[in-house]
Amino acid sequence: MKKLITFLILFAVTLTSFSQSLGYQDLALLFSENDANGTARFTSMSGAFGALGGDISSININPAGIAVFNNSAFSGSFNSRNTDITSNYYGTSRNNQNQFFNLTQAGAVLVFRSAYNSEWEKFAIGFNYRMKKDYNNGFSAVGNSGIATFRDFPLDNNTPTIDYNVAEEQRFRNNYTGELNEVSVAFSAVHQNKLYVGGGLNFYDLNFRQRATLTEFNNDGNGNTLEANFYQENFVTGAGVSLNAGFIYKASKNFRFGLSYQTPTWFTEVLEESNIVNNDGYMGDTEIVVSNDNVIYDNTAGGNFPSQNFIYRLKTPSKLTASAALIFGKSGLLSVDYSNKNFTNMNLSDADFYGENQFFQNELRNVYALNIGTEWRFDRFSVRGGYKFEQDPLKTALDSDNLQGYSFGGGYNFGNFKIDFSYSDNNRTAFYNSYPQFPSVNSTELAISNKVFTGTVTINL
């Protein structure tokens, strides 16, 4: 309840009348998320590669790991994501299913041996593309809060005007599209076959779109009905950059550990275009129909589609990862990553974001994530499994809001190329407030389940 009250107050302050699209603090959190896409080997072990390396996807956690490669290689990955979102609004549940197919990763590592008698005997350069966050999703919710918010017909000529104050039903549809893509370039070297060091530069391309539609059915208690349709749309594009660096140390033949740091991502220019502007008193496109009048109110009639453009900056949290791995010869391994992200250091700038930045400092927290992975080899065939846990950044989050998931997979090494596959399943809860300006209206409760199949082909170069 405390979590709900906090967000209701925040939304009421930062969003204008009849606004159901995400506020800037929510967009900032959304643009800080990471789907942990990668190769099938990486995802089947829940991304626990900070002290392992030897996989192109480790470039995003610890760039030192690309020097673990013995040979130059290229890999490409596709995934199929099935997302189930169950919405619950005032006791009415609705199941929403979404399925998507994407190219989620493509990259290569080039390995060079030193031509000189040097203690730095091997160098590697890595290039990798991955879909850091896939925003494609949607859900609908239906129910009755008992509170009518669209109570007037703007073209009503009656004196007094009819008050449609009896709520019958509310319907809400929310759709996201877009992605946050990442291109990484990294360099790594090995000292005396024990110490691996590396650094990288990451570039981001952001494309995001939200379409939110609210439909409300009310009556006046005397047989007259009103139907209101309210539509908001938001387009966001941006470009960002971050740095990361780390090391891996082989303490013994069977044990290694690592440490890596990724700077905040600096989105130096985020461009937003939306219809969330005052249009005849409504912050969005609005159509209202009543049963006792043949005239339809439409604030976009005659081609009136007002919009606004807005440019701002965003700094996301930095990330520190400590890792360790046990190596059981050529038979198998066990790897653990522990990472920390301080969401209180998020920042929006180039406009009046005082309320949002205060929210980051006062309502968010330092969160941790735990990733555990294992792999066992049987000649040319490998089997893998993993577990991950990530805290929700909100201080008042419920335990069920934390992300938890498991994964497993396998692969076969044909010599010059490998084929790997993985399955991962993660779950969490959340909520969406489609009536932020009405604190007495409850948010929609969401239960989110993601099931992802990933396939990867790796070719030795």
Side-chain angles (χ1 to χ4, degrees), residues 195-252:
L195 177 64
Y196 297 76
V197 294
L201 184 61
N202 311 295
F203 302 93
Y204 301 91
D205 179 49
L206 170 66
N207 288 279
F208 174 79
R209 177 182 181 181
Q210 181 186 18
R211 291 168 291 175
T213 304
L214 177 68
T215 302
E216 192 169 296
F217 300 90
N218 304 318
N219 68 71
D220 68 343
N222 295 311
N224 299 309
T225 61
L226 176 148
E227 177 185 336
N229 293 280
F230 182 58
Y231 174 80
Q232 290 183 329
E233 192 165 29
N234 190 22
F235 300 88
V236 181
T237 59
V241 63
S242 72
L243 303 171
N244 60 339
F247 74 87
I248 299 172
Y249 185 74
K250 287 185 177 180
S252 69

Tab-separated table of all heavy atoms in Angstrom, residues 195-252:
chain	number	residue	atom	x	y	z
A	195	LEU	N	46.721	-12.685	-15.520
A	195	LEU	CA	45.939	-11.461	-15.357
A	195	LEU	C	45.381	-11.008	-16.710
A	195	LEU	O	46.146	-10.740	-17.641
A	195	LEU	CB	46.797	-10.352	-14.754
A	195	LEU	CG	46.124	-8.990	-14.590
A	195	LEU	CD1	44.961	-9.083	-13.588
A	195	LEU	CD2	47.143	-7.938	-14.146
A	196	TYR	N	44.066	-10.924	-16.785
A	196	TYR	CA	43.386	-10.429	-17.976
A	196	TYR	C	42.837	-9.035	-17.658
A	196	TYR	O	42.140	-8.853	-16.646
A	196	TYR	CB	42.224	-11.344	-18.356
A	196	TYR	CG	42.620	-12.755	-18.722
A	196	TYR	CD1	42.969	-13.677	-17.731
A	196	TYR	CD2	42.630	-13.176	-20.039
A	196	TYR	CE1	43.325	-14.975	-18.058
A	196	TYR	CE2	42.969	-14.484	-20.387
A	196	TYR	CZ	43.324	-15.375	-19.377
A	196	TYR	OH	43.668	-16.663	-19.706
A	197	VAL	N	43.157	-8.061	-18.484
A	197	VAL	CA	42.653	-6.702	-18.286
A	197	VAL	C	41.985	-6.241	-19.584
A	197	VAL	O	42.378	-6.656	-20.687
A	197	VAL	CB	43.759	-5.721	-17.875
A	197	VAL	CG1	44.315	-6.075	-16.507
A	197	VAL	CG2	44.869	-5.680	-18.918
A	198	GLY	N	40.977	-5.398	-19.442
A	198	GLY	CA	40.286	-4.938	-20.641
A	198	GLY	C	39.461	-3.696	-20.394
A	198	GLY	O	39.137	-3.340	-19.254
A	199	GLY	N	39.140	-3.011	-21.474
A	199	GLY	CA	38.292	-1.826	-21.422
A	199	GLY	C	37.443	-1.759	-22.669
A	199	GLY	O	37.779	-2.332	-23.710
A	200	GLY	N	36.316	-1.062	-22.575
A	200	GLY	CA	35.405	-1.001	-23.709
A	200	GLY	C	34.635	0.296	-23.778
A	200	GLY	O	34.536	1.058	-22.804
A	201	LEU	N	34.084	0.550	-24.943
A	201	LEU	CA	33.255	1.714	-25.216
A	201	LEU	C	31.941	1.213	-25.807
A	201	LEU	O	31.941	0.381	-26.726
A	201	LEU	CB	33.972	2.640	-26.202
A	201	LEU	CG	33.317	3.964	-26.553
A	201	LEU	CD1	33.153	4.831	-25.304
A	201	LEU	CD2	34.153	4.699	-27.603
A	202	ASN	N	30.820	1.714	-25.261
A	202	ASN	CA	29.498	1.235	-25.660
A	202	ASN	C	28.654	2.395	-26.187
A	202	ASN	O	28.589	3.462	-25.560
A	202	ASN	CB	28.783	0.598	-24.470
A	202	ASN	CG	29.663	-0.398	-23.740
A	202	ASN	OD1	30.025	-1.429	-24.299
A	202	ASN	ND2	30.013	-0.089	-22.505
A	203	PHE	N	28.008	2.169	-27.313
A	203	PHE	CA	27.163	3.184	-27.933
A	203	PHE	C	25.721	2.679	-27.952
A	203	PHE	O	25.471	1.500	-28.229
A	203	PHE	CB	27.628	3.476	-29.357
A	203	PHE	CG	29.052	3.934	-29.451
A	203	PHE	CD1	30.072	3.007	-29.675
A	203	PHE	CD2	29.391	5.267	-29.299
A	203	PHE	CE1	31.384	3.415	-29.759
A	203	PHE	CE2	30.707	5.685	-29.379
A	203	PHE	CZ	31.714	4.751	-29.611
A	204	TYR	N	24.767	3.590	-27.707
A	204	TYR	CA	23.374	3.198	-27.572
A	204	TYR	C	22.486	3.993	-28.524
A	204	TYR	O	22.683	5.196	-28.729
A	204	TYR	CB	22.891	3.410	-26.134
A	204	TYR	CG	23.691	2.634	-25.132
A	204	TYR	CD1	24.818	3.195	-24.520
A	204	TYR	CD2	23.351	1.327	-24.803
A	204	TYR	CE1	25.571	2.471	-23.622
A	204	TYR	CE2	24.096	0.604	-23.897
A	204	TYR	CZ	25.212	1.179	-23.313
A	204	TYR	OH	25.961	0.455	-22.423
A	205	ASP	N	21.510	3.294	-29.075
A	205	ASP	CA	20.511	3.906	-29.947
A	205	ASP	C	19.138	3.562	-29.391
A	205	ASP	O	18.762	2.384	-29.309
A	205	ASP	CB	20.669	3.396	-31.379
A	205	ASP	CG	19.632	3.987	-32.316
A	205	ASP	OD1	19.461	5.223	-32.292
A	205	ASP	OD2	18.990	3.219	-33.050
A	206	LEU	N	18.385	4.569	-28.984
A	206	LEU	CA	17.102	4.388	-28.308
A	206	LEU	C	15.955	4.773	-29.235
A	206	LEU	O	15.954	5.858	-29.822
A	206	LEU	CB	17.052	5.255	-27.046
A	206	LEU	CG	15.701	5.381	-26.329
A	206	LEU	CD1	15.273	4.047	-25.742
A	206	LEU	CD2	15.771	6.449	-25.235
A	207	ASN	N	14.978	3.879	-29.352
A	207	ASN	CA	13.726	4.159	-30.052
A	207	ASN	C	12.595	3.572	-29.223
A	207	ASN	O	12.582	2.366	-28.954
A	207	ASN	CB	13.721	3.544	-31.456
A	207	ASN	CG	14.634	4.268	-32.412
A	207	ASN	OD1	14.275	5.298	-32.967
A	207	ASN	ND2	15.848	3.730	-32.593
A	208	PHE	N	11.653	4.411	-28.841
A	208	PHE	CA	10.583	3.969	-27.960
A	208	PHE	C	9.286	4.673	-28.344
A	208	PHE	O	9.276	5.864	-28.683
A	208	PHE	CB	10.917	4.276	-26.503
A	208	PHE	CG	9.799	3.992	-25.532
A	208	PHE	CD1	9.544	2.692	-25.120
A	208	PHE	CD2	9.002	5.017	-25.045
A	208	PHE	CE1	8.506	2.419	-24.234
A	208	PHE	CE2	7.973	4.757	-24.157
A	208	PHE	CZ	7.723	3.452	-23.750
A	209	ARG	N	8.198	3.932	-28.288
A	209	ARG	CA	6.882	4.512	-28.573
A	209	ARG	C	5.859	3.909	-27.626
A	209	ARG	O	5.853	2.695	-27.406
A	209	ARG	CB	6.463	4.222	-30.018
A	209	ARG	CG	5.069	4.731	-30.388
A	209	ARG	CD	4.741	4.345	-31.827
A	209	ARG	NE	3.425	4.828	-32.230
A	209	ARG	CZ	2.884	4.609	-33.424
A	209	ARG	NH1	3.560	3.899	-34.324
A	209	ARG	NH2	1.685	5.070	-33.709
A	210	GLN	N	5.026	4.754	-27.062
A	210	GLN	CA	3.932	4.299	-26.218
A	210	GLN	C	2.610	4.819	-26.770
A	210	GLN	O	2.495	6.002	-27.128
A	210	GLN	CB	4.074	4.772	-24.770
A	210	GLN	CG	2.937	4.261	-23.875
A	210	GLN	CD	2.976	4.828	-22.472
A	210	GLN	OE1	3.625	5.833	-22.218
A	210	GLN	NE2	2.265	4.190	-21.552
A	211	ARG	N	1.623	3.935	-26.819
A	211	ARG	CA	0.266	4.305	-27.207
A	211	ARG	C	-0.679	3.835	-26.111
A	211	ARG	O	-0.748	2.639	-25.829
A	211	ARG	CB	-0.098	3.675	-28.549
A	211	ARG	CG	0.663	4.251	-29.742
A	211	ARG	CD	0.491	3.406	-30.976
A	211	ARG	NE	1.170	2.116	-30.813
A	211	ARG	CZ	1.096	1.130	-31.706
A	211	ARG	NH1	0.381	1.267	-32.786
A	211	ARG	NH2	1.744	0.001	-31.504
A	212	ALA	N	-1.375	4.763	-25.500
A	212	ALA	CA	-2.268	4.438	-24.382
A	212	ALA	C	-3.679	4.919	-24.704
A	212	ALA	O	-3.869	6.086	-25.077
A	212	ALA	CB	-1.766	5.090	-23.098
A	213	THR	N	-4.649	4.032	-24.571
A	213	THR	CA	-6.039	4.358	-24.867
A	213	THR	C	-6.911	4.030	-23.665
A	213	THR	O	-6.854	2.916	-23.127
A	213	THR	CB	-6.556	3.567	-26.085
A	213	THR	OG1	-5.699	3.810	-27.199
A	213	THR	CG2	-7.969	3.985	-26.437
A	214	LEU	N	-7.689	4.991	-23.245
A	214	LEU	CA	-8.608	4.822	-22.117
A	214	LEU	C	-10.035	5.020	-22.611
A	214	LEU	O	-10.331	6.017	-23.278
A	214	LEU	CB	-8.296	5.841	-21.020
A	214	LEU	CG	-9.211	5.850	-19.795
A	214	LEU	CD1	-9.033	4.573	-18.998
A	214	LEU	CD2	-8.927	7.066	-18.926
A	215	THR	N	-10.900	4.057	-22.315
A	215	THR	CA	-12.319	4.166	-22.658
A	215	THR	C	-13.143	4.062	-21.385
A	215	THR	O	-12.916	3.164	-20.568
A	215	THR	CB	-12.739	3.060	-23.640
A	215	THR	OG1	-11.942	3.141	-24.820
A	215	THR	CG2	-14.202	3.209	-24.019
A	216	GLU	N	-14.076	4.987	-21.234
A	216	GLU	CA	-14.871	5.031	-20.011
A	216	GLU	C	-16.353	5.061	-20.372
A	216	GLU	O	-16.764	5.818	-21.268
A	216	GLU	CB	-14.480	6.265	-19.197
A	216	GLU	CG	-15.020	6.280	-17.789
A	216	GLU	CD	-14.389	7.394	-16.953
A	216	GLU	OE1	-13.166	7.331	-16.729
A	216	GLU	OE2	-15.111	8.322	-16.570
A	217	PHE	N	-17.157	4.241	-19.678
A	217	PHE	CA	-18.607	4.186	-19.883
A	217	PHE	C	-19.292	4.639	-18.593
A	217	PHE	O	-19.097	4.036	-17.533
A	217	PHE	CB	-19.059	2.765	-20.240
A	217	PHE	CG	-18.438	2.222	-21.494
A	217	PHE	CD1	-17.244	1.505	-21.455
A	217	PHE	CD2	-19.034	2.436	-22.729
A	217	PHE	CE1	-16.670	0.994	-22.607
A	217	PHE	CE2	-18.471	1.933	-23.892
A	217	PHE	CZ	-17.284	1.211	-23.838
A	218	ASN	N	-20.120	5.695	-18.710
A	218	ASN	CA	-20.821	6.244	-17.551
A	218	ASN	C	-22.281	6.514	-17.909
A	218	ASN	O	-22.654	6.539	-19.087
A	218	ASN	CB	-20.169	7.556	-17.086
A	218	ASN	CG	-18.679	7.379	-16.766
A	218	ASN	OD1	-18.296	6.387	-16.153
A	218	ASN	ND2	-17.855	8.323	-17.193
A	219	ASN	N	-23.114	6.751	-16.886
A	219	ASN	CA	-24.504	7.159	-17.120
A	219	ASN	C	-24.915	8.170	-16.050
A	219	ASN	O	-24.197	8.385	-15.067
A	219	ASN	CB	-25.444	5.951	-17.150
A	219	ASN	CG	-25.595	5.280	-15.802
A	219	ASN	OD1	-26.213	5.827	-14.891
A	219	ASN	ND2	-25.026	4.072	-15.660
A	220	ASP	N	-26.062	8.775	-16.276
A	220	ASP	CA	-26.531	9.810	-15.343
A	220	ASP	C	-27.540	9.285	-14.340
A	220	ASP	O	-28.124	10.057	-13.562
A	220	ASP	CB	-27.125	10.985	-16.111
A	220	ASP	CG	-28.431	10.625	-16.818
A	220	ASP	OD1	-28.697	9.418	-16.986
A	220	ASP	OD2	-29.177	11.542	-17.202
A	221	GLY	N	-27.826	7.972	-14.348
A	221	GLY	CA	-28.810	7.387	-13.443
A	221	GLY	C	-30.219	7.455	-13.969
A	221	GLY	O	-31.153	6.928	-13.338
A	222	ASN	N	-30.420	8.101	-15.146
A	222	ASN	CA	-31.751	8.248	-15.728
A	222	ASN	C	-31.818	7.689	-17.146
A	222	ASN	O	-32.678	8.100	-17.938
A	222	ASN	CB	-32.171	9.722	-15.752
A	222	ASN	CG	-32.339	10.298	-14.358
A	222	ASN	OD1	-33.010	9.698	-13.516
A	222	ASN	ND2	-31.711	11.452	-14.106
A	223	GLY	N	-30.912	6.790	-17.485
A	223	GLY	CA	-30.948	6.147	-18.786
A	223	GLY	C	-30.083	6.784	-19.841
A	223	GLY	O	-29.956	6.251	-20.956
A	224	ASN	N	-29.499	7.940	-19.568
A	224	ASN	CA	-28.595	8.585	-20.524
A	224	ASN	C	-27.166	8.094	-20.284
A	224	ASN	O	-26.700	8.059	-19.138
A	224	ASN	CB	-28.645	10.108	-20.378
A	224	ASN	CG	-30.030	10.658	-20.657
A	224	ASN	OD1	-30.623	10.344	-21.682
A	224	ASN	ND2	-30.541	11.472	-19.731
A	225	THR	N	-26.492	7.720	-21.356
A	225	THR	CA	-25.150	7.142	-21.231
A	225	THR	C	-24.108	8.001	-21.940
A	225	THR	O	-24.426	8.751	-22.874
A	225	THR	CB	-25.110	5.723	-21.822
A	225	THR	OG1	-25.435	5.772	-23.219
A	225	THR	CG2	-26.085	4.809	-21.100
A	226	LEU	N	-22.884	7.874	-21.497
A	226	LEU	CA	-21.737	8.582	-22.079
A	226	LEU	C	-20.597	7.593	-22.293
A	226	LEU	O	-20.307	6.774	-21.415
A	226	LEU	CB	-21.289	9.723	-21.160
A	226	LEU	CG	-20.043	10.521	-21.557
A	226	LEU	CD1	-20.180	11.980	-21.096
A	226	LEU	CD2	-18.766	9.926	-20.958
A	227	GLU	N	-19.974	7.679	-23.472
A	227	GLU	CA	-18.769	6.901	-23.766
A	227	GLU	C	-17.642	7.866	-24.144
A	227	GLU	O	-17.778	8.648	-25.091
A	227	GLU	CB	-19.003	5.922	-24.914
A	227	GLU	CG	-17.749	5.142	-25.313
A	227	GLU	CD	-17.969	4.258	-26.529
A	227	GLU	OE1	-19.134	3.883	-26.794
A	227	GLU	OE2	-16.971	3.950	-27.219
A	228	ALA	N	-16.549	7.815	-23.396
A	228	ALA	CA	-15.399	8.683	-23.656
A	228	ALA	C	-14.213	7.838	-24.085
A	228	ALA	O	-13.901	6.820	-23.445
A	228	ALA	CB	-15.052	9.487	-22.408
A	229	ASN	N	-13.549	8.260	-25.164
A	229	ASN	CA	-12.335	7.604	-25.649
A	229	ASN	C	-11.202	8.618	-25.621
A	229	ASN	O	-11.298	9.679	-26.247
A	229	ASN	CB	-12.531	7.082	-27.072
A	229	ASN	CG	-13.536	5.948	-27.138
A	229	ASN	OD1	-13.213	4.806	-26.844
A	229	ASN	ND2	-14.779	6.262	-27.517
A	230	PHE	N	-10.151	8.266	-24.901
A	230	PHE	CA	-9.039	9.185	-24.664
A	230	PHE	C	-7.742	8.517	-25.100
A	230	PHE	O	-7.433	7.401	-24.662
A	230	PHE	CB	-9.010	9.531	-23.174
A	230	PHE	CG	-7.939	10.512	-22.783
A	230	PHE	CD1	-7.881	11.758	-23.368
A	230	PHE	CD2	-7.013	10.178	-21.813
A	230	PHE	CE1	-6.896	12.663	-22.984
A	230	PHE	CE2	-6.033	11.052	-21.436
A	230	PHE	CZ	-5.966	12.310	-22.022
A	231	TYR	N	-6.969	9.177	-25.978
A	231	TYR	CA	-5.797	8.558	-26.606
A	231	TYR	C	-4.574	9.442	-26.428
A	231	TYR	O	-4.621	10.649	-26.680
A	231	TYR	CB	-6.074	8.332	-28.094
A	231	TYR	CG	-4.914	7.820	-28.897
A	231	TYR	CD1	-4.576	6.468	-28.881
A	231	TYR	CD2	-4.143	8.688	-29.659
A	231	TYR	CE1	-3.506	5.996	-29.623
A	231	TYR	CE2	-3.072	8.226	-30.409
A	231	TYR	CZ	-2.760	6.887	-30.392
A	231	TYR	OH	-1.700	6.422	-31.125
A	232	GLN	N	-3.468	8.819	-25.983
A	232	GLN	CA	-2.190	9.522	-25.870
A	232	GLN	C	-1.107	8.714	-26.563
A	232	GLN	O	-1.112	7.474	-26.526
A	232	GLN	CB	-1.814	9.744	-24.400
A	232	GLN	CG	-2.691	10.756	-23.698
A	232	GLN	CD	-2.248	11.006	-22.262
A	232	GLN	OE1	-1.719	10.127	-21.598
A	232	GLN	NE2	-2.472	12.208	-21.781
A	233	GLU	N	-0.167	9.430	-27.185
A	233	GLU	CA	0.918	8.775	-27.902
A	233	GLU	C	2.207	9.529	-27.646
A	233	GLU	O	2.222	10.758	-27.575
A	233	GLU	CB	0.615	8.726	-29.396
A	233	GLU	CG	1.538	7.826	-30.179
A	233	GLU	CD	0.981	7.524	-31.565
A	233	GLU	OE1	0.246	8.372	-32.106
A	233	GLU	OE2	1.295	6.449	-32.102
A	234	ASN	N	3.305	8.761	-27.535
A	234	ASN	CA	4.585	9.340	-27.147
A	234	ASN	C	5.697	8.653	-27.934
A	234	ASN	O	5.807	7.425	-27.916
A	234	ASN	CB	4.783	9.131	-25.639
A	234	ASN	CG	5.963	9.896	-25.099
A	234	ASN	OD1	6.397	10.870	-25.686
A	234	ASN	ND2	6.489	9.452	-23.969
A	235	PHE	N	6.510	9.430	-28.648
A	235	PHE	CA	7.656	8.899	-29.388
A	235	PHE	C	8.932	9.435	-28.748
A	235	PHE	O	9.057	10.634	-28.503
A	235	PHE	CB	7.631	9.341	-30.855
A	235	PHE	CG	6.432	8.911	-31.627
A	235	PHE	CD1	5.283	9.686	-31.644
A	235	PHE	CD2	6.439	7.724	-32.344
A	235	PHE	CE1	4.167	9.300	-32.374
A	235	PHE	CE2	5.337	7.334	-33.074
A	235	PHE	CZ	4.198	8.114	-33.085
A	236	VAL	N	9.895	8.545	-28.489
A	236	VAL	CA	11.161	8.960	-27.884
A	236	VAL	C	12.319	8.349	-28.660
A	236	VAL	O	12.329	7.143	-28.936
A	236	VAL	CB	11.260	8.524	-26.397
A	236	VAL	CG1	12.582	8.995	-25.796
A	236	VAL	CG2	10.093	9.082	-25.596
A	237	THR	N	13.284	9.166	-29.026
A	237	THR	CA	14.525	8.697	-29.633
A	237	THR	C	15.687	9.317	-28.872
A	237	THR	O	15.558	10.387	-28.271
A	237	THR	CB	14.628	9.077	-31.116
A	237	THR	OG1	14.557	10.510	-31.250
A	237	THR	CG2	13.502	8.442	-31.928
A	238	GLY	N	16.826	8.641	-28.905
A	238	GLY	CA	17.984	9.166	-28.199
A	238	GLY	C	19.241	8.397	-28.523
A	238	GLY	O	19.201	7.305	-29.097
A	239	ALA	N	20.373	8.971	-28.155
A	239	ALA	CA	21.673	8.337	-28.349
A	239	ALA	C	22.474	8.497	-27.071
A	239	ALA	O	22.413	9.545	-26.407
A	239	ALA	CB	22.410	8.957	-29.529
A	240	GLY	N	23.228	7.452	-26.709
A	240	GLY	CA	23.998	7.493	-25.475
A	240	GLY	C	25.322	6.778	-25.602
A	240	GLY	O	25.605	6.110	-26.603
A	241	VAL	N	26.138	6.909	-24.554
A	241	VAL	CA	27.455	6.285	-24.541
A	241	VAL	C	27.817	5.915	-23.105
A	241	VAL	O	27.389	6.567	-22.145
A	241	VAL	CB	28.517	7.246	-25.138
A	241	VAL	CG1	28.659	8.511	-24.286
A	241	VAL	CG2	29.857	6.551	-25.317
A	242	SER	N	28.593	4.843	-22.947
A	242	SER	CA	29.117	4.451	-21.641
A	242	SER	C	30.482	3.801	-21.831
A	242	SER	O	30.846	3.400	-22.942
A	242	SER	CB	28.173	3.487	-20.905
A	242	SER	OG	28.181	2.205	-21.515
A	243	LEU	N	31.223	3.676	-20.731
A	243	LEU	CA	32.531	3.018	-20.724
A	243	LEU	C	32.490	1.874	-19.732
A	243	LEU	O	31.757	1.926	-18.730
A	243	LEU	CB	33.632	4.009	-20.322
A	243	LEU	CG	33.775	5.286	-21.151
A	243	LEU	CD1	34.757	6.233	-20.471
A	243	LEU	CD2	34.242	4.960	-22.553
A	244	ASN	N	33.285	0.847	-19.977
A	244	ASN	CA	33.449	-0.193	-18.965
A	244	ASN	C	34.873	-0.729	-18.980
A	244	ASN	O	35.577	-0.651	-19.994
A	244	ASN	CB	32.424	-1.312	-19.115
A	244	ASN	CG	32.501	-2.028	-20.445
A	244	ASN	OD1	33.024	-1.506	-21.421
A	244	ASN	ND2	31.962	-3.237	-20.506
A	245	ALA	N	35.289	-1.223	-17.838
A	245	ALA	CA	36.647	-1.753	-17.678
A	245	ALA	C	36.635	-2.815	-16.602
A	245	ALA	O	35.748	-2.837	-15.731
A	245	ALA	CB	37.623	-0.640	-17.307
A	246	GLY	N	37.615	-3.734	-16.663
A	246	GLY	CA	37.665	-4.778	-15.656
A	246	GLY	C	38.890	-5.652	-15.772
A	246	GLY	O	39.729	-5.467	-16.677
A	247	PHE	N	38.999	-6.587	-14.835
A	247	PHE	CA	40.093	-7.558	-14.871
A	247	PHE	C	39.594	-8.920	-14.413
A	247	PHE	O	38.582	-9.042	-13.713
A	247	PHE	CB	41.266	-7.105	-13.980
A	247	PHE	CG	41.012	-7.255	-12.497
A	247	PHE	CD1	41.284	-8.464	-11.840
A	247	PHE	CD2	40.507	-6.201	-11.760
A	247	PHE	CE1	41.050	-8.613	-10.488
A	247	PHE	CE2	40.267	-6.339	-10.398
A	247	PHE	CZ	40.538	-7.542	-9.760
A	248	ILE	N	40.313	-9.949	-14.812
A	248	ILE	CA	40.112	-11.324	-14.341
A	248	ILE	C	41.468	-11.855	-13.927
A	248	ILE	O	42.456	-11.700	-14.660
A	248	ILE	CB	39.514	-12.229	-15.438
A	248	ILE	CG1	38.141	-11.725	-15.877
A	248	ILE	CG2	39.397	-13.676	-14.944
A	248	ILE	CD1	37.581	-12.461	-17.081
A	249	TYR	N	41.534	-12.485	-12.753
A	249	TYR	CA	42.806	-13.020	-12.278
A	249	TYR	C	42.670	-14.510	-11.994
A	249	TYR	O	41.764	-14.945	-11.272
A	249	TYR	CB	43.263	-12.300	-11.013
A	249	TYR	CG	44.637	-12.735	-10.554
A	249	TYR	CD1	45.782	-12.327	-11.232
A	249	TYR	CD2	44.789	-13.575	-9.451
A	249	TYR	CE1	47.045	-12.727	-10.827
A	249	TYR	CE2	46.048	-13.987	-9.033
A	249	TYR	CZ	47.167	-13.560	-9.732
A	249	TYR	OH	48.415	-13.965	-9.329
A	250	LYS	N	43.566	-15.301	-12.600
A	250	LYS	CA	43.603	-16.743	-12.342
A	250	LYS	C	44.436	-16.991	-11.090
A	250	LYS	O	45.663	-17.048	-11.140
A	250	LYS	CB	44.222	-17.478	-13.526
A	250	LYS	CG	43.340	-17.559	-14.755
A	250	LYS	CD	44.004	-18.412	-15.828
A	250	LYS	CE	43.139	-18.585	-17.042
A	250	LYS	NZ	43.813	-19.433	-18.076
A	251	ALA	N	43.769	-17.133	-9.958
A	251	ALA	CA	44.480	-17.355	-8.704
A	251	ALA	C	45.100	-18.745	-8.659
A	251	ALA	O	46.135	-18.953	-8.016
A	251	ALA	CB	43.537	-17.158	-7.524
A	252	SER	N	44.462	-19.694	-9.311
A	252	SER	CA	44.987	-21.051	-9.388
A	252	SER	C	44.390	-21.705	-10.627
A	252	SER	O	43.597	-21.098	-11.352
A	252	SER	CB	44.636	-21.859	-8.132
A	252	SER	OG	43.249	-22.113	-8.078
